[in-house]
Structures are given as C-alpha cells and as structure tokens.
Amino acid sequence: MRIVVAGGTGTVGRHTVGAVRAAGHDAVVLSRSRGVDLVTGEGLGHALAGADAVIDVTSIETRKASEAIEFFTAATGNLAAAAADAGVGHFVLLSIVGIDRMPYDYYAGKIAQEKVVEASRVPWTTLRATQFHEFAAQIFRRAKLGPLHIALKARTQPVAAREVGSRLAALAAAPPQGRARDLAGPREEQLADMVRAYARREGYRGWVPTLNVPGPQMAGMRAGLGLPGPDAELGSQSFAEWLAAD
C-alpha cells in the first residue's frame, strides 16, 4: 500500500512512518520542505496521487481554542478534500481521549478536526489516544514560574508514542471502522510525579513545585476526565520503562 502520513516528522509521526515501512508499505511524508502546505493546500494533489490511505497526525503548538480550531479546520479540511479528489480509500485520524468531556483550548481544535473528518467524502477511522510519555518532557520545558519549573497536577494514563504509531499503521492497512477503540498506557500516573521523574533523569536537581493550573481543561484532567474507559486497548510500556529506555 501507499500510505501518506501528514505530520510524519513529529513525536508520534516518525514512529508511524517507521511502522508503515516495517509492515512493507510505502510511506510518503508530507512536509513543507517537500513542497506541501496543509494550511493553504499547496502541493497536496501531487503528494496524494496513487495513495491508498492517509494518516493525519498533525498538531499545532497553541493553547488558544480559536487558533487550534482555525488550524485543524484548514489543514485537515484541505487534506481530506484532496484525499477525496485523489480517490484515497481511507482517512485515519489521531485524536485525544476525553476531548468531548473537556472541549476547551487545544481540545476544541481536535473536536473541530474530528468533525471535519466525519463530514468528509473519504471513509474514515479515528483513533483517540491518551497523552504520550513525552508529555512530561513538554511540561517540564514549558511550565515555568520565573526560574522555577512547575509540575502540573493532573491524572493521566500515558502511552508510548511508538505503540500509537504502530496502531495507526495497522488501522490504515485495515478497512475503515469509524471510531476505533481508544488507546491508553498500561497504568494511571500523576503528571506532577512524571515531570519530577523526568527532571531527575535529566539531571535537574532544583525544586519542582506542584501547581494546580486554573482553567477548565486542566481542572478536567485533575478530575480524571482524560482517562480511558474500561473498553480501551492498553499499551505495554509504562512511563518508568520509557524513562529508563529513552
């Protein structure tokens, strides 16, 4: 199969590309460096020619709902329309567990993205996954109060990005199924503990205080609204195992 991966250079995208190729398929990575711009639609027609499936793992770094909605509506909208025009038979989208219970900020964009895919002319599959193990590293780098790194309090059940990539590749090679079973890690973790463990692994010995960040999205995560349901598929690699192996 010829499988196009949008966002194929990112955290989960590179694992997705690797899994597609390991399964014996041809993986095509969409990127601006290769003449493709999802937001404008430039280069999409040529890139999707002959494709059997598309995997969308695109993302944007923003906390604003308006920016997330604008990006995902444009980027995924253009990708889905071009896929339909090219006769692609399957559109696979990576989304996030719990976004319908916390439709705020970045998650509002993901809700909009799911609706774009569901309304498209291409048969689709959406996989919702929990946060990746790399989420702790992102929080450590970005959440700061002056010189202090902050450990945000939240309940999460992180999953290995490599396992998400493998699942996406397998879904793309299978028939469309609408909403696939959610994918989560093997155990629940406290995000603040994950951030401190990552900080120690990186050699940081400063104080990392725990903070309850205001806002409905983080309040929802503290309440466990981002955790998987009992029917979710569970990955095998724990956060501690990822930390030791990474």
Side-chain angles (χ1 to χ4, degrees):
M1 294 181 65
R2 181 178 176 85
I3 300 176
V4 173
V5 183
T9 59
T11 299
V12 71
R14 58 189 177 89
H15 292 300
T16 304
V17 171
V20 167
R21 290 173 176 164
H25 304 300
D26 179 20
V28 179
V29 179
L30 299 188
S31 66
R32 287 185 177 179
S33 64
R34 302 186 185 191
V36 178
D37 189 322
L38 293 177
V39 174
T40 65
E42 180 182 359
L44 276 175
H46 176 74
L48 292 173
D52 298 292
V54 170
I55 302 175
D56 186 353
V57 291
T58 54
S59 64
I60 181 176
E61 291 190 11
T62 182
R63 297 176 184 175
K64 294 183 179 180
S66 59
E67 292 180 357
I69 292 171
E70 181 179 9
F71 171 78
F72 285 120
T73 300
T76 299
N78 287 334
L79 183 59
D85 292 341
V88 175
H90 193 182
F91 195 107
V92 179
L93 173 67
L94 175 62
S95 193
I96 306 172
V97 169
I99 57 174
D100 48 348
R101 298 188 291 267
M102 299 176 288
Y104 311 105
D105 304 332
Y106 180 82
Y107 286 3
K110 295 298 289 185
I111 287 285
Q113 185 186 35
E114 287 190 359
K115 291 179 179 179
V116 167
V117 172
E118 292 167 10
S120 74
R121 293 173 286 146
V122 183
W124 56 275
T125 299
T126 292
L127 171 67
R128 287 183 178 180
T130 53
Q131 285 78 20
F132 311 137
H133 294 319
E134 288 84 354
F135 190 43
Q138 295 170 0
I139 296 299
F140 177 74
R141 291 192 299 266
R142 299 173 186 172
K144 300 184 71 176
L145 186 61
L148 292 177
H149 292 271
I150 303 300
L152 306 186
K153 189 174 182 180
R155 296 173 66 190
T156 183
Q157 194 161 325
V159 64
R162 184 181 303 276
E163 294 176 339
V164 177
S166 295
R167 178 79 182 281
L168 288 169
L171 288 171
Q177 57 180 278
R179 271 288 301 277
R181 286 177 62 194
D182 291 350
L183 180 61
R187 53 172 289 181
E188 182 180 338
E189 306 279 356
Q190 173 52 242
L191 179 58
D193 295 337
M194 292 169 58
V195 172
R196 278 191 285 268
Y198 175 82
R200 290 193 297 271
R201 204 282 304 273
E202 293 298 293
Y204 182 79
R205 295 293 179 262
W207 180 41
V208 184
T210 299
L211 183 68
N212 286 342
V213 175
Q217 183 174 321
M218 289 306 300
M221 291 190 68
R222 287 193 295 273
L225 299 184
L227 297 177
D231 60 340
E233 180 180 340
L234 302 184
S236 60
Q237 186 185 50
S238 69
F239 176 73
E241 290 169 338
W242 172 83
L243 203 62
D246 185 53

Short mmCIF file of all heavy atoms in Angstrom, two decimals, residues 150-195:
data_model
loop_
_atom_site.label_atom_id
_atom_site.label_comp_id
_atom_site.label_asym_id
_atom_site.label_seq_id
_atom_site.Cartn_x
_atom_site.Cartn_y
_atom_site.Cartn_z
N ILE A 150 7.64 23.96 36.86
CA ILE A 150 6.41 23.63 37.59
C ILE A 150 5.92 22.24 37.19
O ILE A 150 5.90 21.89 36.01
CB ILE A 150 5.31 24.67 37.31
CG1 ILE A 150 5.80 26.08 37.66
CG2 ILE A 150 4.04 24.33 38.08
CD1 ILE A 150 6.18 26.26 39.10
N ALA A 151 5.53 21.47 38.19
CA ALA A 151 4.91 20.16 37.93
C ALA A 151 3.40 20.33 38.03
O ALA A 151 2.88 20.59 39.12
CB ALA A 151 5.41 19.13 38.94
N LEU A 152 2.70 20.20 36.92
CA LEU A 152 1.26 20.39 36.91
C LEU A 152 0.55 19.17 37.46
O LEU A 152 0.89 18.03 37.12
CB LEU A 152 0.77 20.67 35.48
CG LEU A 152 1.46 21.81 34.73
CD1 LEU A 152 0.76 22.04 33.40
CD2 LEU A 152 1.46 23.09 35.56
N LYS A 153 -0.45 19.41 38.27
CA LYS A 153 -1.21 18.32 38.86
C LYS A 153 -2.31 17.89 37.89
O LYS A 153 -3.13 18.68 37.46
CB LYS A 153 -1.83 18.74 40.19
CG LYS A 153 -2.46 17.59 40.96
CD LYS A 153 -2.92 18.05 42.34
CE LYS A 153 -3.52 16.88 43.12
NZ LYS A 153 -3.99 17.31 44.46
N ALA A 154 -2.30 16.61 37.52
CA ALA A 154 -3.32 16.07 36.61
C ALA A 154 -3.24 14.56 36.62
O ALA A 154 -2.17 13.98 36.83
CB ALA A 154 -3.11 16.59 35.19
N ARG A 155 -4.36 13.93 36.38
CA ARG A 155 -4.41 12.47 36.25
C ARG A 155 -4.29 12.12 34.76
O ARG A 155 -4.96 12.71 33.92
CB ARG A 155 -5.71 11.92 36.81
CG ARG A 155 -5.89 12.14 38.30
CD ARG A 155 -7.29 11.72 38.75
NE ARG A 155 -7.48 10.26 38.60
CZ ARG A 155 -8.66 9.66 38.74
NH1 ARG A 155 -9.75 10.39 39.02
NH2 ARG A 155 -8.75 8.35 38.61
N THR A 156 -3.43 11.17 34.46
CA THR A 156 -3.23 10.77 33.07
C THR A 156 -2.84 9.30 33.01
O THR A 156 -2.43 8.71 34.03
CB THR A 156 -2.14 11.65 32.41
OG1 THR A 156 -2.02 11.29 31.02
CG2 THR A 156 -0.80 11.48 33.09
N GLN A 157 -2.98 8.71 31.86
CA GLN A 157 -2.60 7.31 31.66
C GLN A 157 -1.78 7.24 30.38
O GLN A 157 -2.25 6.79 29.34
CB GLN A 157 -3.83 6.40 31.59
CG GLN A 157 -3.50 4.92 31.72
CD GLN A 157 -4.71 4.08 32.10
OE1 GLN A 157 -5.57 4.54 32.86
NE2 GLN A 157 -4.79 2.87 31.60
N PRO A 158 -0.52 7.70 30.45
CA PRO A 158 0.27 7.92 29.24
C PRO A 158 0.62 6.64 28.50
O PRO A 158 0.79 5.57 29.09
CB PRO A 158 1.54 8.59 29.79
CG PRO A 158 1.66 8.06 31.19
CD PRO A 158 0.24 7.96 31.68
N VAL A 159 0.76 6.80 27.19
CA VAL A 159 1.03 5.67 26.31
C VAL A 159 2.29 5.96 25.50
O VAL A 159 2.62 7.13 25.26
CB VAL A 159 -0.18 5.42 25.37
CG1 VAL A 159 -0.41 6.60 24.43
CG2 VAL A 159 -0.02 4.12 24.59
N ALA A 160 2.99 4.92 25.10
CA ALA A 160 4.20 5.08 24.30
C ALA A 160 3.85 5.55 22.90
O ALA A 160 2.98 4.98 22.24
CB ALA A 160 4.96 3.76 24.23
N ALA A 161 4.52 6.60 22.42
CA ALA A 161 4.26 7.11 21.08
C ALA A 161 4.54 6.04 20.03
O ALA A 161 3.86 5.98 18.99
CB ALA A 161 5.13 8.34 20.82
N ARG A 162 5.50 5.17 20.30
CA ARG A 162 5.81 4.10 19.36
C ARG A 162 4.62 3.15 19.20
O ARG A 162 4.31 2.69 18.09
CB ARG A 162 7.04 3.32 19.83
CG ARG A 162 7.50 2.23 18.86
CD ARG A 162 8.70 1.48 19.42
NE ARG A 162 9.80 2.37 19.71
CZ ARG A 162 10.68 2.78 18.81
NH1 ARG A 162 10.57 2.37 17.56
NH2 ARG A 162 11.67 3.59 19.15
N GLU A 163 3.93 2.86 20.31
CA GLU A 163 2.77 1.97 20.25
C GLU A 163 1.60 2.63 19.53
O GLU A 163 0.83 1.96 18.83
CB GLU A 163 2.39 1.53 21.66
CG GLU A 163 3.46 0.67 22.31
CD GLU A 163 3.15 0.28 23.75
OE1 GLU A 163 2.33 0.97 24.39
OE2 GLU A 163 3.74 -0.69 24.23
N VAL A 164 1.47 3.94 19.68
CA VAL A 164 0.43 4.67 18.95
C VAL A 164 0.72 4.62 17.45
O VAL A 164 -0.16 4.38 16.63
CB VAL A 164 0.33 6.13 19.43
CG1 VAL A 164 -0.70 6.90 18.61
CG2 VAL A 164 -0.02 6.20 20.90
N GLY A 165 1.98 4.83 17.08
CA GLY A 165 2.37 4.78 15.68
C GLY A 165 2.08 3.42 15.06
O GLY A 165 1.60 3.31 13.93
N SER A 166 2.37 2.36 15.81
CA SER A 166 2.12 1.00 15.32
C SER A 166 0.63 0.76 15.12
O SER A 166 0.21 0.15 14.13
CB SER A 166 2.69 -0.03 16.30
OG SER A 166 4.10 0.06 16.37
N ARG A 167 -0.18 1.27 16.06
CA ARG A 167 -1.62 1.09 15.94
C ARG A 167 -2.17 1.86 14.75
O ARG A 167 -3.03 1.36 14.00
CB ARG A 167 -2.29 1.56 17.24
CG ARG A 167 -3.80 1.48 17.23
CD ARG A 167 -4.32 0.09 17.49
NE ARG A 167 -5.79 0.05 17.42
CZ ARG A 167 -6.59 0.46 18.41
NH1 ARG A 167 -6.07 0.89 19.55
NH2 ARG A 167 -7.89 0.40 18.28
N LEU A 168 -1.69 3.06 14.51
CA LEU A 168 -2.15 3.86 13.38
C LEU A 168 -1.80 3.18 12.05
O LEU A 168 -2.61 3.15 11.13
CB LEU A 168 -1.52 5.25 13.43
CG LEU A 168 -2.05 6.19 14.51
CD1 LEU A 168 -1.15 7.42 14.62
CD2 LEU A 168 -3.49 6.61 14.23
N ALA A 169 -0.59 2.64 11.96
CA ALA A 169 -0.18 1.96 10.74
C ALA A 169 -1.07 0.74 10.47
O ALA A 169 -1.46 0.49 9.32
CB ALA A 169 1.29 1.53 10.85
N ALA A 170 -1.38 -0.01 11.53
CA ALA A 170 -2.24 -1.18 11.37
C ALA A 170 -3.65 -0.78 10.96
O ALA A 170 -4.29 -1.43 10.11
CB ALA A 170 -2.27 -1.98 12.66
N LEU A 171 -4.17 0.30 11.54
CA LEU A 171 -5.51 0.76 11.19
C LEU A 171 -5.58 1.21 9.73
O LEU A 171 -6.57 0.97 9.04
CB LEU A 171 -5.93 1.91 12.11
CG LEU A 171 -6.26 1.54 13.56
CD1 LEU A 171 -6.43 2.81 14.40
CD2 LEU A 171 -7.52 0.69 13.63
N ALA A 172 -4.52 1.88 9.26
CA ALA A 172 -4.51 2.39 7.89
C ALA A 172 -4.54 1.25 6.88
O ALA A 172 -5.10 1.40 5.78
CB ALA A 172 -3.28 3.27 7.66
N ALA A 173 -3.95 0.12 7.23
CA ALA A 173 -3.90 -1.03 6.32
C ALA A 173 -5.17 -1.88 6.38
O ALA A 173 -5.34 -2.78 5.56
CB ALA A 173 -2.69 -1.89 6.65
N ALA A 174 -6.04 -1.57 7.33
CA ALA A 174 -7.29 -2.32 7.51
C ALA A 174 -8.46 -1.50 6.95
O ALA A 174 -8.32 -0.32 6.64
CB ALA A 174 -7.51 -2.62 8.98
N PRO A 175 -9.65 -2.10 6.83
CA PRO A 175 -10.81 -1.34 6.35
C PRO A 175 -11.21 -0.23 7.33
O PRO A 175 -10.98 -0.34 8.54
CB PRO A 175 -11.91 -2.41 6.28
CG PRO A 175 -11.18 -3.72 6.16
CD PRO A 175 -9.94 -3.54 6.98
N PRO A 176 -11.81 0.85 6.85
CA PRO A 176 -12.29 1.93 7.72
C PRO A 176 -13.30 1.39 8.74
O PRO A 176 -14.10 0.52 8.43
CB PRO A 176 -12.95 2.90 6.75
CG PRO A 176 -12.32 2.60 5.42
CD PRO A 176 -12.05 1.14 5.43
N GLN A 177 -13.26 1.94 9.96
CA GLN A 177 -14.16 1.46 11.00
C GLN A 177 -14.79 2.56 11.83
O GLN A 177 -15.40 2.29 12.87
CB GLN A 177 -13.43 0.49 11.93
CG GLN A 177 -12.18 1.03 12.59
CD GLN A 177 -11.50 0.00 13.50
OE1 GLN A 177 -11.91 -0.19 14.63
NE2 GLN A 177 -10.51 -0.67 12.96
N GLY A 178 -14.68 3.81 11.43
CA GLY A 178 -15.24 4.90 12.24
C GLY A 178 -14.39 5.09 13.49
O GLY A 178 -13.18 5.18 13.41
N ARG A 179 -15.03 5.15 14.65
CA ARG A 179 -14.29 5.29 15.90
C ARG A 179 -13.68 3.94 16.29
O ARG A 179 -14.39 2.96 16.53
CB ARG A 179 -15.21 5.77 17.02
CG ARG A 179 -15.32 7.27 17.18
CD ARG A 179 -14.08 7.93 17.75
NE ARG A 179 -13.73 7.42 19.06
CZ ARG A 179 -14.27 7.83 20.21
NH1 ARG A 179 -15.21 8.75 20.19
NH2 ARG A 179 -13.87 7.33 21.36
N ALA A 180 -12.36 3.90 16.35
CA ALA A 180 -11.67 2.71 16.81
C ALA A 180 -11.64 2.71 18.34
O ALA A 180 -11.96 3.72 18.99
CB ALA A 180 -10.24 2.69 16.26
N ARG A 181 -11.28 1.59 18.92
CA ARG A 181 -11.13 1.54 20.38
C ARG A 181 -10.05 2.51 20.82
O ARG A 181 -8.99 2.63 20.18
CB ARG A 181 -10.74 0.13 20.84
CG ARG A 181 -11.85 -0.89 20.79
CD ARG A 181 -11.33 -2.26 21.18
NE ARG A 181 -10.83 -2.29 22.56
CZ ARG A 181 -10.07 -3.28 23.05
NH1 ARG A 181 -9.72 -4.29 22.28
NH2 ARG A 181 -9.68 -3.24 24.31
N ASP A 182 -10.30 3.24 21.91
CA ASP A 182 -9.31 4.16 22.44
C ASP A 182 -8.05 3.39 22.83
O ASP A 182 -8.10 2.20 23.16
CB ASP A 182 -9.85 4.89 23.67
CG ASP A 182 -10.97 5.86 23.34
OD1 ASP A 182 -11.19 6.11 22.14
OD2 ASP A 182 -11.63 6.35 24.28
N LEU A 183 -6.92 4.09 22.81
CA LEU A 183 -5.63 3.50 23.17
C LEU A 183 -5.02 4.28 24.31
O LEU A 183 -4.93 5.52 24.26
CB LEU A 183 -4.69 3.52 21.97
CG LEU A 183 -3.29 2.94 22.17
CD1 LEU A 183 -3.36 1.46 22.56
CD2 LEU A 183 -2.45 3.11 20.90
N ALA A 184 -4.60 3.59 25.36
CA ALA A 184 -4.01 4.23 26.54
C ALA A 184 -2.82 3.42 27.02
O ALA A 184 -2.57 2.30 26.57
CB ALA A 184 -5.05 4.34 27.66
N GLY A 185 -2.10 4.00 27.96
CA GLY A 185 -0.98 3.29 28.56
C GLY A 185 -1.44 2.26 29.56
O GLY A 185 -2.63 2.15 29.87
N PRO A 186 -0.51 1.49 30.12
CA PRO A 186 -0.87 0.38 30.99
C PRO A 186 -1.33 0.78 32.39
O PRO A 186 -1.97 -0.02 33.08
CB PRO A 186 0.41 -0.46 31.06
CG PRO A 186 1.51 0.53 30.82
CD PRO A 186 0.95 1.51 29.84
N ARG A 187 -1.01 2.01 32.83
CA ARG A 187 -1.39 2.38 34.19
C ARG A 187 -1.57 3.89 34.32
O ARG A 187 -1.00 4.68 33.57
CB ARG A 187 -0.33 1.91 35.19
CG ARG A 187 1.09 2.37 34.86
CD ARG A 187 2.06 2.05 35.97
NE ARG A 187 1.84 2.91 37.13
CZ ARG A 187 2.57 2.84 38.25
NH1 ARG A 187 3.53 1.93 38.37
NH2 ARG A 187 2.33 3.66 39.26
N GLU A 188 -2.39 4.27 35.28
CA GLU A 188 -2.59 5.69 35.56
C GLU A 188 -1.38 6.27 36.27
O GLU A 188 -0.75 5.60 37.10
CB GLU A 188 -3.84 5.90 36.41
CG GLU A 188 -4.14 7.38 36.69
CD GLU A 188 -5.37 7.60 37.54
OE1 GLU A 188 -6.24 6.71 37.59
OE2 GLU A 188 -5.47 8.69 38.17
N GLU A 189 -1.05 7.51 35.94
CA GLU A 189 0.06 8.22 36.56
C GLU A 189 -0.42 9.60 37.01
O GLU A 189 -1.39 10.13 36.49
CB GLU A 189 1.22 8.40 35.57
CG GLU A 189 1.72 7.14 34.90
CD GLU A 189 2.69 6.35 35.76
OE1 GLU A 189 3.04 6.82 36.87
OE2 GLU A 189 3.12 5.28 35.32
N GLN A 190 0.31 10.19 37.95
CA GLN A 190 0.11 11.58 38.31
C GLN A 190 1.13 12.40 37.53
O GLN A 190 2.33 12.16 37.59
CB GLN A 190 0.30 11.79 39.81
CG GLN A 190 0.28 13.24 40.27
CD GLN A 190 -0.94 14.02 39.79
OE1 GLN A 190 -0.81 15.01 39.06
NE2 GLN A 190 -2.12 13.57 40.21
N LEU A 191 0.63 13.35 36.74
CA LEU A 191 1.51 14.13 35.87
C LEU A 191 2.63 14.81 36.65
O LEU A 191 3.76 14.87 36.18
CB LEU A 191 0.68 15.16 35.10
CG LEU A 191 1.45 16.07 34.15
CD1 LEU A 191 2.21 15.27 33.10
CD2 LEU A 191 0.50 17.07 33.47
N ALA A 192 2.33 15.33 37.82
CA ALA A 192 3.37 16.01 38.61
C ALA A 192 4.52 15.06 38.93
O ALA A 192 5.70 15.44 38.87
CB ALA A 192 2.77 16.57 39.90
N ASP A 193 4.21 13.82 39.27
CA ASP A 193 5.25 12.83 39.54
C ASP A 193 6.06 12.52 38.29
O ASP A 193 7.28 12.32 38.35
CB ASP A 193 4.64 11.54 40.08
CG ASP A 193 3.97 11.72 41.44
OD1 ASP A 193 4.34 12.68 42.15
OD2 ASP A 193 3.08 10.91 41.77
N MET A 194 5.38 12.47 37.15
CA MET A 194 6.07 12.22 35.89
C MET A 194 7.06 13.34 35.57
O MET A 194 8.20 13.09 35.16
CB MET A 194 5.06 12.10 34.75
CG MET A 194 4.17 10.87 34.81
SD MET A 194 2.79 10.97 33.61
CE MET A 194 3.67 11.18 32.06
N VAL A 195 6.64 14.57 35.77
CA VAL A 195 7.51 15.72 35.48
C VAL A 195 8.74 15.70 36.38
O VAL A 195 9.87 15.92 35.92
CB VAL A 195 6.73 17.04 35.64
CG1 VAL A 195 7.68 18.23 35.52
CG2 VAL A 195 5.63 17.13 34.61
#
